[in-house]
Amino acid sequence: MIKMPHPWIPNSSPKILKEMSSTLGISSVEELFNDIPPEIRLNKEFWDKLEIGFGKPISEVEAKRFIDKLLSKNRVFQPYVFLGGGVYVHYVPSIIKYIVTRGEFLTTYTPYQAEISQGLLQALFEYQSLMAELLDMDVVNASMYDGGSSLAEALLMSLRVNRGRGKVVLPRTINVMHREVVETYLKPHSVKIEYVNYDKETGLVDLEELKEKVDSNTAAVYVQNPNFLGLIETEAKAIGEIAHDKRSLFVVGVNPVTLGILSPPGELGADIAVAEGQPLGLEPSFGGPYLGVFAIRFDNELIKQMPGRLIGLTTDTDGRRAFAMILQTREQHIKREKATSNICTNEALAAISVAIYLSLLGREGVVELSRNIYYRAHYAYELLRRSGFNVELFKSDFFNEFPVNFDNYGVNYMVIHEKLLEKGIHGGLYIKPWFPELGETALFAFTEIHRADDIEFLVLTLREVVG
Amino acid sequence: MNNVFKQAVWSEPLVFELDEEGKVGYLLPELEERILKTVGNVRIPEKILRKNKPNLPSLSEVEVVRHFTRLTQMSYGVDCGPVPLGSCTMKYNPKVALDVALDPRVTNIHPLQDPKTIQGLLEIMYLLQKWLALITGMDYCSLHPAAGAHGELAGVLIIRRYHEIKGQLGKKNEIIIPDSAHGTNPASVSMAGFKVVEIPSSRDGCVDLNALKEAVGEQTAGLMITNPNTLGLFERNILEIARILHEVDALLYYDGANLNGIMGYARPGDMGFDIAHINIHKTFGAPHGGGGPGAGPVCVKDRVVDPDKGVTLKDLLPGYVVEYNVETGLYELVKPKFSVGLLRSFFANTIPLIWGFVYILMLGSRGLREVSEYAVLNTNYFIKRIGGINGFSLEYGEESLRKHEVTVSARKLYEDTGVTAEDVAKGLLDRGLYAPTMYFPLIVKEALMFEFTETETKRNIDEYVEAMRSISKVAYENPQEPKKWPINTSVKRVDVVKANHPKFLAPSWRVYLRRRST
């Protein structure tokens, strides 16, 4: 006998339970589990004693108290946090949460029933369309999990399109986590991943080495702009030409907040564009949800091989504008083992958040956002340089993030990191583990949330810390 | 029809059509004078500068809010009414969890922050790992995958790594899947480089043991199934199935999509499964958000992989696992030493996991058992009440108990009247009820898969039954009528054929405009 009515189980009222049991001709709900063989069926006392939660339902008051105690052990450093590495601490406009937490969007399912989901479908179509304009690409899917897996799927797609070719060429200076994700996804498919080194002076892709490595066996060539070191790959278009020269696909990865100023993938001649969409309106949230941006230029062959959901514009039987999921024959629920990807649940709500942000920014706002970030990062660079810090590791310009080398101070960067923490600052990402040749170096990132005096505080504190 | 449902109809333009020069939607913090002076000009080379401004529309904040608010009004979620989509477990998403999901002490945390500074969050994740392992009867858990399919991929990659370490990957190149499996299963198998071997279900709807024995051999790397299966039936022979697979050193993988039907009564770990994924956005109350974000943690039984090297299955888990260091008293993020690798860049989809954590915390072990009890009660009540409605039948095991979901067939309705499962679905929409899953599993003709979840009310289930009855009546009396449905939703039946036609294909506004101008 179940004795505990619960707010989330409406039929747990004893009266309703009795009515339903009567209809079924059972005296206890447990009878409905008689199809479970006794060898497997759990002993009730055993399960009750398992330390799951508090063992039984609790009130919101108690739950919140327990959670609050745990969360109070977290330190929030905003605005004194200068971490980057692919995810950045931007400001998320307030209206976004009020729209995406509305039940009609938050608690809805994938829009398989198009007629009752037109609002959701239109919002996703708008995401696809707005992102297409930002990237200057034609077709954007309704989202992948994140930037890294998006890149991995782009490379898998290239291998399908260029069937028979067995190699992909990537710069060594791509996001180090993306690199790992790519290796995981490509490993089962006996694909050769060739990495191209960076030029010691510029920090950018070594074009000569690239030309050597790209051949008729290359399915895809990838460039990330800005690269993992924060540097702007000025020769990106030329890299595309090297790729196309050997009929390889050209994949370009970007940080969307730079696209108010930097050339978008479309202008660079990209066949496929990928990005981590987080900087455009998603909180850092300790790892996710983020947004895998995936786009192609319009091409009948490419579109057939594209992974992910696609929303398209059409009409209803009355001739009114309507939206629906299109080209589902690429997807897992139809093509199963021959699908372009196994992806089902993606990051739809994150995509809508980004659509809202882009709608707020508009063409002028996007340019202004890029400019705002560029200037604040360069202000930090200049102040650090003037204070004697080694920021001139490479000749190239950067966008929102740059490496700072601390070899001059004879300590491991982590010592400096600890001292910064004591002062309430979370410093940049220590990159020596991946780039040992760069010594005690960390990547410092800046966004529109960093005021001039915040940056000055960082520089002053660093000066204090190194003595 | 007694109840009236009319969805909002807005002829809401696209944001592009609301564009007007000079409008501003958001103000950025002004660049201080000293910043401008110190930096001077932007020194990026011409060749990498954007040539043309992005063609994004300019709107005011007011218009953006109204626009998207109207779009929500033309959408339907669990907060609006029943969404009994089979295998999706569309349960109520408790708002107390949303409070925590919006807490800045969660949302403001950068994934690369020093672990010392986020001990509270790490402890939450550690507890969640532990609870999920207890619920599923497994030993260890990684919260890394971002969705069920992602968890499946992780799981199949673990199978792959297992055989690789044991030096038998060369011969083990097949994974078996029942024909009733969800599409992501075979797709995940392909992505992990294995060959899919499909076996037919038997007449009672469960795995055909003979077909299984025929298909299993030295080349078998593993088997992927869900239990209860997609027909809602409990695979009674699961221990035997496990034995057959383990005999050839193949691993057994559990698709956790249907966990809602058995919590507190059975656990995959006790059924012989080696690996299992969990859908936090199904069983554990995180919202679906129109297609994500979700989270698909993967759990393993600590089966030995290499006794000499001391490698067990937990060492193969993907991404980062939270461990507690007894010496330092701190929680740490650790990459398992023989991990299949990263499947996404950072730790996990933390926000959905937070939902799951709060959900499990609020219910506890006894609460979770109640969840499954009422999920099963609700579905069996529905089955009982639709018995006798013309045109609908239960294929496979008519007399068998179902768990939390059931696949009904509209085959007879179609044969008698020409009205399809799709037409039935549209009729349900007209009555303000979200339709069940259509045309899945593939082994049932004109399939309609229902899952009411424990959060559904008896009143709504009764209303649903009456809706099915009235739809059946219309179908038999006036079979042309359902072809016009739906009429009460924002739009009428959508022309999907046109949407996919090469001549009209418009996956973005700019493609549409280009097509229109040529």
Side-chain angles (χ1 to χ4, degrees):
Chain A
M1 255 315 280
I2 301 142
K3 297 182 203 76
M4 294 182 292
H6 193 277
W8 306 339
I9 308 176
N11 296 339
S12 60
S13 124
K15 174 173 171 283
I16 298 175
L17 173 62
K18 195 152 175 257
E19 284 167 24
M20 295 176 78
S21 302
S22 168
T23 304
L24 286 173
I26 56 173
S27 52
S28 157
V29 157
E30 286 173 35
E31 292 175 46
L32 296 175
F33 290 84
N34 287 340
D35 51 351
I36 299 182
E39 314 88 83
I40 303 169
R41 188 158 164 164
L42 284 174
N43 176 279
K44 218 171 164 178
E45 283 74 40
F46 169 76
W47 173 266
D48 285 353
K49 289 212 189 74
L50 287 177
E51 283 174 21
I52 300 168
F54 283 96
K56 60 180 171 55
I58 60 175
S59 67
E60 285 192 27
V61 173
E62 294 159 286
K64 282 283 187 70
R65 216 161 151 170
F66 179 77
I67 293 166
D68 194 65
K69 195 152 168 245
L70 287 171
L71 290 183
S72 64
K73 294 185 203 167
N74 288 347
R75 270 180 87 180
V76 171
F77 289 88
Q78 269 78 331
Y80 307 117
V81 50
F82 302 98
L83 279 169
V87 163
Y88 305 91
V89 181
H90 290 275
Y91 179 81
V92 176
S94 55
I95 71 161
I96 292 175
K97 66 176 136 354
Y98 295 109
I99 293 167
V100 301
T101 57
R102 286 174 68 99
E104 301 93 325
F105 270 0
L106 183 68
T107 71
T108 189
Y109 189 61
T110 299
Y112 288 120
Q113 296 296 344
E115 295 81 9
I116 207 169
S117 318
Q118 288 297 296
L120 173 70
L121 286 162
Q122 182 168 339
L124 288 171
F125 180 80
E126 288 178 351
Y127 159 72
Q128 290 173 189
S129 302
L130 291 163
M131 188 56 78
E133 295 300 341
L134 186 65
L135 298 171
D136 191 29
M137 301 292 281
D138 297 316
V139 186
V140 180
N141 72 16
S143 80
M144 310 293 283
Y145 306 126
D146 74 340
S149 56
S150 208
L151 170 60
E153 294 251 27
L155 298 175
L156 286 176
M157 175 177 157
S158 304
L159 289 157
R160 287 194 298 273
V161 170
N162 280 330
R163 213 169 278 286
R165 297 193 178 206
K167 185 166 87 169
V168 295
V169 178
L170 314 174
R172 200 179 143 225
T173 47
I174 66 169
N175 183 297
V176 298
M177 283 147 289
H178 291 186
R179 217 196 287 169
E180 282 189 59
V181 176
V182 165
E183 285 170 5
T184 304
Y185 272 76
L186 264 51
K187 189 166 177 212
H189 305 286
S190 18
V191 178
K192 190 152 189 270
I193 305 174
E194 281 212 43
Y195 291 102
V196 177
N197 280 304
Y198 58 92
D199 178 287
K200 298 279 176 293
E201 278 193 24
T202 63
L204 307 180
V205 173
D206 184 331
L207 285 184
E208 289 313 308
E209 194 186 328
L210 180 75
K211 278 191 201 130
E212 280 169 35
K213 295 202 157 133
V214 177
D215 57 23
S216 55
N217 189 34
T218 307
V221 176
Y222 176 64
V223 70
Q224 180 189 314
N225 185 28
N227 67 21
F228 182 66
L229 302 170
L231 309 172
I232 298 168
E233 293 280 358
T234 52
E235 310 309 307
K237 193 146 190 243
I239 293 172
E241 283 155 13
I242 293 170
H244 287 144
D245 199 52
K246 294 284 191 284
R247 293 169 155 249
S248 157
L249 285 184
F250 181 40
V251 183
V252 176
V254 292
N255 176 342
V257 295
T258 66
L259 296 180
I261 295 180
L262 291 183
S263 257
E267 282 181 13
L268 297 173
D271 300 300
I272 306 175
V274 295
E276 174 50 70
Q278 177 274 332
L280 264 184
L282 301 174
E283 302 281 11
S285 301
F286 191 56
Y290 294 153
L291 172 64
V293 177
F294 194 108
I296 61 167
R297 58 175 176 78
F298 197 94
D299 175 278
N300 288 318
E301 279 317 301
L302 290 182
I303 205 169
K304 277 188 220 150
Q305 291 298 340
M306 201 177 175
R309 293 211 174 114
L310 275 174
I311 314 300
L313 186 54
T314 178
T315 50
D316 75 352
T317 51
D318 273 357
R320 294 190 56 216
R321 177 189 285 175
F323 302 89
M325 285 166 52
I326 56 171
L327 299 180
Q328 291 186 64
T329 48
R330 297 161 304 123
E331 296 190 73
Q332 48 79 26
H333 52 292
I334 307 227
K335 270 285 164 57
R336 297 171 74 87
E337 68 266 18
K338 297 207 172 66
T340 53
S341 167
N342 71 342
I343 194 166
C344 183
T345 291
N346 42 86
E347 306 290 326
L349 206 60
I352 294 176
S353 301
V354 169
I356 297 169
Y357 192 18
L358 287 173
S359 302
L360 286 173
L361 285 172
R363 62 179 66 77
E364 303 299 335
V366 153
V367 174
E368 187 43 52
L369 178 66
S370 294
R371 198 165 162 268
N372 210 295
I373 294 165
Y374 180 92
Y375 269 87
R376 294 181 193 278
H378 283 71
Y379 184 60
Y381 180 91
E382 210 23 55
L383 291 191
L384 285 166
R385 195 187 66 79
R386 289 180 193 177
S387 298
F389 288 99
N390 182 7
V391 292
E392 289 166 307
L393 285 83
F394 301 106
K395 281 203 171 80
S396 309
D397 195 12
F398 58 95
F399 205 94
N400 60 325
E401 191 170 24
F402 55 90
V404 183
N405 175 276
F406 295 91
D407 282 342
N408 292 342
Y409 306 100
V411 284
N412 183 298
Y413 171 71
M414 295 314 284
V415 172
I416 296 172
H417 163 76
E418 291 294 334
K419 296 214 175 125
L420 286 175
L421 284 182
E422 281 168 36
K423 306 278 187 190
I425 296 176
H426 198 298
L429 176 67
Y430 186 40
I431 60 170
K432 185 172 171 188
W434 298 284
F435 293 90
E437 71 273 22
L438 295 181
E440 298 304 312
T441 299
L443 280 178
F444 279 76
F446 301 87
T447 73
E448 76 282 11
I449 72 164
H450 297 119
R451 284 198 324 223
D453 57 7
D454 298 329
I455 295 169
E456 286 148 18
F457 176 56
L458 167 69
V459 177
L460 238 81
T461 311
L462 269 172
R463 278 163 59 167
E464 240 181 78
V465 157
V466 298
Chain B
M1 283 187 261
N2 291 324
N3 298 321
V4 175
F5 168 71
K6 277 240 180 284
Q7 192 175 33
V9 184
W10 292 104
S11 296
E12 186 58 24
L14 288 165
V15 281
F16 295 91
E17 296 167 309
L18 296 169
D19 181 20
E20 264 178 276
E21 199 190 314
K23 285 196 289 195
V24 148
Y26 178 67
L27 293 177
L28 282 158
E30 213 177 302
L31 281 168
E32 292 93 321
E33 197 51 51
R34 56 197 194 275
I35 293 182
L36 292 166
K37 274 183 81 177
T38 306
V39 176
N41 291 324
V42 166
R43 45 181 164 280
I44 300 170
E46 176 75 33
K47 60 176 133 172
I48 196 74
L49 285 177
R50 187 168 191 134
K51 311 265 169 298
N52 300 305
K53 270 195 198 149
N55 192 16
L56 296 169
S58 304
L59 283 80
S60 65
E61 181 178 325
V62 177
E63 291 164 290
V64 173
V65 171
R66 279 203 185 132
H67 173 76
F68 285 97
T69 300
R70 290 177 179 188
L71 293 185
T72 65
Q73 292 180 339
M74 295 191 287
S75 205
Y76 185 108
V78 173
D79 280 3
C80 302
V83 185
L85 289 162
S87 260
C88 299
T89 312
M90 298 292 292
K91 63 173 69 183
Y92 169 66
N93 312 119
K95 306 308 177 228
V96 58
L98 181 56
D99 276 353
V100 184
L102 292 173
D103 193 308
R105 293 169 297 181
V106 175
T107 60
N108 279 359
I109 307 294
H110 190 285
L112 298 170
Q113 239 175 268
D114 187 323
K116 278 200 309 297
T117 65
I118 47 170
Q119 286 295 300
L121 197 47
L122 290 178
E123 189 174 344
I124 286 175
M125 295 298 152
Y126 181 82
L127 285 170
L128 182 60
Q129 282 172 185
K130 191 176 123 191
W131 293 344
L132 291 175
L134 287 172
I135 291 166
T136 54
M138 310 296 276
D139 297 322
Y140 292 95
C141 182
S142 166
L143 302 172
H144 186 65
H150 216 202
E152 286 172 30
L153 179 60
V156 188
L157 288 174
I158 289 174
I159 294 177
R160 191 183 180 86
R161 196 91 164 91
Y162 173 82
H163 295 303
E164 186 187 18
I165 293 174
K166 296 188 85 164
Q168 55 197 25
L169 188 59
K171 68 171 179 188
K172 289 207 170 290
N173 52 16
E174 289 181 4
I175 293 199
I176 301 173
I177 294 180
D179 55 5
S180 56
H182 190 266
T184 51
N185 288 180
S188 301
V189 168
S190 287
M191 277 184 94
F194 285 102
K195 180 166 159 237
V196 173
V197 172
E198 208 179 72
I199 51 167
S201 302
S202 59
R203 291 194 48 183
D204 67 1
C206 293
V207 166
D208 184 331
L209 282 180
N210 289 323
L212 178 65
K213 284 181 191 146
E214 289 249 345
V216 169
E218 286 309 314
Q219 77 285 4
T220 307
L223 169 78
M224 265 180 111
I225 58 168
T226 185
N227 191 11
N229 64 25
T230 54
L231 296 166
L233 299 165
F234 192 85
E235 294 276 358
R236 274 170 237 111
N237 295 317
I238 187 63
L239 286 175
E240 176 64 11
I241 292 170
R243 195 195 57 75
I244 293 169
L245 269 292
H246 287 146
E247 210 156 69
V248 294
D249 198 20
L251 296 184
L252 204 55
Y253 179 91
Y254 180 76
D255 178 332
N258 293 319
L259 193 58
N260 212 45
I262 57 170
M263 286 193 291
Y265 279 86
R267 305 186 304 176
D270 303 327
M271 296 178 208
F273 286 96
D274 302 293
I275 312 167
H277 89 261
I278 293 162
N279 300 65
I280 298 291
H281 48 293
K282 293 186 179 182
T283 323
F284 299 103
H288 276 74
V298 61
C299 303
V300 293
K301 271 297 235 210
D302 209 17
R303 187 190 173 95
V304 174
V305 183
D306 185 330
D308 300 321
K309 288 192 210 144
V311 183
T312 59
L313 270 187
K314 75 168 180 316
D315 300 315
L316 277 53
L317 284 168
Y320 314 87
V321 174
V322 182
E323 283 183 7
Y324 180 69
N325 186 321
V326 187
E327 279 164 30
T328 60
L330 294 174
Y331 292 93
E332 303 172 333
L333 281 178
V334 175
K335 272 184 182 166
K337 52 187 194 238
F338 290 91
S339 173
V340 294
L342 294 188
L343 281 152
R344 60 188 293 285
S345 300
F346 299 98
F347 171 66
N349 263 3
T350 295
I351 300 302
L353 291 175
I354 290 281
W355 276 86
F357 173 81
V358 177
Y359 181 81
I360 297 172
L361 178 73
M362 295 277 296
L363 287 165
S365 30
R366 268 169 278 177
L368 289 175
R369 184 182 50 231
E370 255 197 73
V371 161
S372 288
E373 281 170 339
Y374 280 93
V376 169
L377 177 72
N378 282 353
T379 290
N380 279 280
Y381 175 76
F382 173 73
I383 295 170
K384 185 78 195 227
R385 296 227 44 229
I386 56 162
I389 300 182
N390 259 338
F392 298 113
S393 58
L394 241 58
E395 313 285 277
Y396 293 97
E398 282 262 352
E399 293 311 310
S400 307
L401 262 180
R402 295 312 200 266
K403 299 260 66 64
H404 64 306
E405 69 185 8
V406 61
T407 301
V408 170
S409 174
R411 178 184 52 79
K412 191 158 182 299
L413 188 75
Y414 177 61
E415 284 164 9
D416 292 347
T417 69
V419 173
T420 64
E422 186 176 16
D423 298 329
V424 171
K426 303 310 178 191
L428 289 162
L429 299 184
D430 266 343
R431 290 156 172 80
L433 303 165
Y434 204 95
T437 305
M438 304 185 300
Y439 300 109
F440 176 74
L442 302 173
I443 54 173
V444 174
K445 298 255 175 311
E446 299 299 322
L448 289 165
M449 197 203 296
F450 293 88
E451 180 185 353
F452 278 97
T453 88
E454 74 287 358
T455 66
E456 204 46 70
T457 67
K458 174 174 172 293
R459 182 197 293 258
N460 275 342
I461 300 173
D462 288 336
E463 189 186 321
Y464 218 98
V465 169
E466 290 320 304
M468 300 279 287
R469 201 186 306 281
S470 113
I471 288 169
S472 166
K473 191 158 181 286
V474 175
Y476 279 96
E477 285 173 7
N478 194 356
Q480 282 318 300
E481 195 63 24
K483 302 295 177 189
K484 300 185 196 146
W485 296 338
I487 55 173
N488 294 329
T489 47
S490 320
V491 298
K492 300 265 169 48
R493 206 171 291 210
V494 175
D495 192 345
V496 181
V497 172
K498 179 173 166 189
N500 285 292
H501 195 285
K503 202 166 134 209
F504 296 103
L505 198 74
S508 65
W509 187 235
R510 73 194 240 153
V511 169
Y512 173 75
L513 289 178
R514 209 182 293 157
R515 211 185 268 293
R516 213 172 58 174
S517 66
T518 51

